[in-house]
Amino acid sequence: MSAMLRTIGRLMTAFALLIGVSAGTVAIAGPAQAARAGAYQVTVTRTGGFIGVNETYTVFHDTAHVSTPALMTAVEGREFRHLCASYPPAGNGADRFVYTVSVTYRNGVTKTIVTEDGADAPELLWRVIGTTLQITRDLAATTAG
């Protein structure tokens, strides 16, 4: 009988250790997953140019447009999150547009990147700018017409 109690005791100890290790794994994974919060909104402000425009284009994560999921996926990706804060042009120029891209994530973090026409900025940044402008223009045309 005593051997049986020892076996049961060992099984219970092993089970308790297994539960403790599993709980620790969940506790460790939780903050890491929370740090990868999805994008809530993308805002592009375009200023400058020949007539000195000041335009703001905003796309929310739930904006009803065929390109919204691709835009949100792009700004949630590692490549975008590791872009520099600024991409200035190599030389001086007049009448260029300056673009400020701000992405707000659901965890409250905001990433802001500034570039302008003529800059050697990554293709991904230009794609995010172009897609944001296109979505808001498409929606404006739909509501106007």
Side-chain angles (χ1 to χ4, degrees), residues 2 44 62 68 99 101 119 130 132 135:
S2 142
V44 174
D62 58 354
T68 300
Y99 299 91
V101 179
T132 304
I135 290 171

Side-chain angles (χ1 to χ4, degrees), residues 26-73:
V26 172
I28 292 168
Q33 290 171 346
R36 291 182 275 158
Y40 177 74
Q41 77 179 39
V42 178
T43 300
V44 174
T45 303
R46 184 171 77 158
T47 58
F50 178 70
I51 59 173
V53 302
N54 188 354
E55 304 167 330
T56 301
Y57 304 85
T58 300
V59 176
F60 292 91
H61 72 283
D62 58 354
T63 298
H65 190 277
V66 68
S67 298
T68 300
L71 175 63
M72 294 302 154
T73 298

